[in-house]
Amino acid sequence: MRIVVSDCLRGVACRYDGGSKPSEAVLSLCSRTDALGVCPEREAGLPVPRPPAEQRDGGVWSADGTDLTAAFARGAQVCLSMAQEHGAPLAVLKEKSPSCGPSCVYDGTYSGRLINGAGVFARLLRKEGVCVVSEDIVKACKPSVEHPVAIVLGTGLGHLATLVRPVRRIDYHDIDDFPAEARPMEGHRFEATIGTVDDVPVIVYPGRIHLYQGYSASQVSALVRHAHRLGARDIIFACATGAVEGNAHMGLGIISDQINLTGRNPLAEWDEIRDVESPFVDMTDAYSPYLRTLARGVADDAGIAVEEGVYAGVLGPCMETKAEAAMMRTMGVSYAGMSMICEVIMARALGMNVLGLTLATNMAGEGATHDTVAETATHYAEDFERLVRGVLRLL
């Protein structure tokens, strides 16, 4: 996978003060990818060291009053051309920089006050459709023994759990809020495994319960709260779905967003939720752009056919009618399923980084059974496992 990285994060002394800001997490990502280091200010011909510069009044000014707007624009354009030639879908840039800051920059008063905004180069990359993140995002997503990656698997996808080198196993019925009477459906197992996959610490949950079985939204999201209590900051959800004709095909997909058609929300069951500070959760970018971009990069490099689209969660358990499938197509839905919606809401409420993967085993509105869904899933098991393992290795 190709990425673009601010050179100062790689330890190159190109900052205004003559130093660098190396990030261990970014260096680790660079070692696993084809990384192109850039510095817009260096490409603009600005000296090192130099007076600090900040954005103000639509331009960039140095602390000594020099207008650097044209220089920053020139350097950003040079770096954009380099990034385009490199073909990188992801850029990891230094936060707060007037050139590279992905989400916040200094306010132009040289007082150290930060405001929401992006650097000149970061804005150009986003216009080109490049996913731009800060070093903090990379660090927050990096797994460790204290922060394993949680993976929740759906129908026909539980085989991934056999790849775990186990350290500990946990019966679902020992998990708080998980219903004692619940029994796994075909294709699901109710035993979580803590261990490693390719030396990456993980917690794998090879099954789930569903709203259509009569459980509450709080109960179906119990595994998410459990993973969070065990330290997980990243969580990968996988489920079987129906592909909506015209918007997706059968096969593997990356979820970009979701529409909740279940009529349920775990945060509405406030008395049952203990780990969440507030039910008023921002669901913008509910599915992490960073993790989605990594998954796309893994798929492209490995030659795995994968699409990307919006997931609509329905109550179930019956399959979609033709009219319902047509409605979803009009709404821009690519995948329809009966799980994951409440889990993703809970994960976002807990501040977790979410990656949603799906296996579209049938076309929505064209007939399917639970057995045919499970049977079709076996044909894509190898590619699904390669995709998940590839993402884990990049993290």
Side-chain angles (χ1 to χ4, degrees), residues 137-196:
I137 295 294
V138 178
K139 181 179 179 181
C141 291
K142 186 172 178 58
S144 65
V145 173
E146 294 80 14
H147 302 293
V149 178
I151 306 173
V152 182
L153 301 169
T155 301
L157 301 173
H159 178 71
L160 183 70
T162 64
L163 302 178
V164 181
R165 184 176 181 180
V167 172
R168 179 186 174 197
R169 300 186 191 276
I170 302 173
D171 189 295
Y172 280 17
H173 298 95
D174 293 329
I175 294 174
D176 290 346
D177 302 326
F178 192 85
E181 72 279 8
R183 294 295 178 267
M185 297 179 61
E186 185 178 352
H188 294 246
R189 281 196 303 113
F190 282 180
E191 184 181 66
T193 303
I194 300 175
T196 59

Side-chain angles (χ1 to χ4, degrees), residues 285-329:
D285 286 333
Y287 295 85
S288 164
Y290 173 60
L291 296 182
R292 282 160 40 203
T293 305
L294 291 185
R296 169 64 70 178
V298 168
D300 290 345
D301 287 352
I304 300 171
V306 64
E307 297 182 336
E308 187 166 351
V310 175
Y311 171 80
V314 299
L315 181 60
C318 56
M319 302 297 181
E320 304 79 24
T321 67
K322 288 184 178 295
E324 288 167 344
M327 175 196 70
M328 291 182 191
R329 181 169 59 251

Side-chain angles (χ1 to χ4, degrees), residues 193-243:
T193 303
I194 300 175
T196 59
V197 172
D198 299 332
D199 296 325
V200 178
V202 297
I203 317 163
V204 177
Y205 300 89
R208 52 161 60 95
I209 55 176
H210 305 80
L211 293 170
Y212 63 73
Q213 295 173 278
Y215 300 112
S216 70
S218 173
Q219 288 173 317
V220 302
S221 56
L223 301 182
V224 178
R225 295 194 296 279
H226 181 256
H228 183 260
R229 292 185 195 116
L230 293 181
R233 296 186 300 203
D234 306 326
I235 188 162
I236 300 173
F237 295 110
C239 67
T241 56

Side-chain angles (χ1 to χ4, degrees), residues 207-277:
R208 52 161 60 95
I209 55 176
H210 305 80
L211 293 170
Y212 63 73
Q213 295 173 278
Y215 300 112
S216 70
S218 173
Q219 288 173 317
V220 302
S221 56
L223 301 182
V224 178
R225 295 194 296 279
H226 181 256
H228 183 260
R229 292 185 195 116
L230 293 181
R233 296 186 300 203
D234 306 326
I235 188 162
I236 300 173
F237 295 110
C239 67
T241 56
V244 177
E245 185 179 1
N247 294 342
H249 300 87
M250 290 175 58
L252 293 175
I254 301 169
I255 306 302
S256 59
D257 208 342
Q258 70 180 34
I259 298 176
N260 185 359
L261 300 179
T262 69
R264 310 287 180 82
N265 189 314
L267 303 183
E269 299 171 8
W270 188 240
D271 289 341
E272 299 183 44
I273 307 301
R274 297 290 179 267
D275 300 300
V276 177
E277 293 182 3

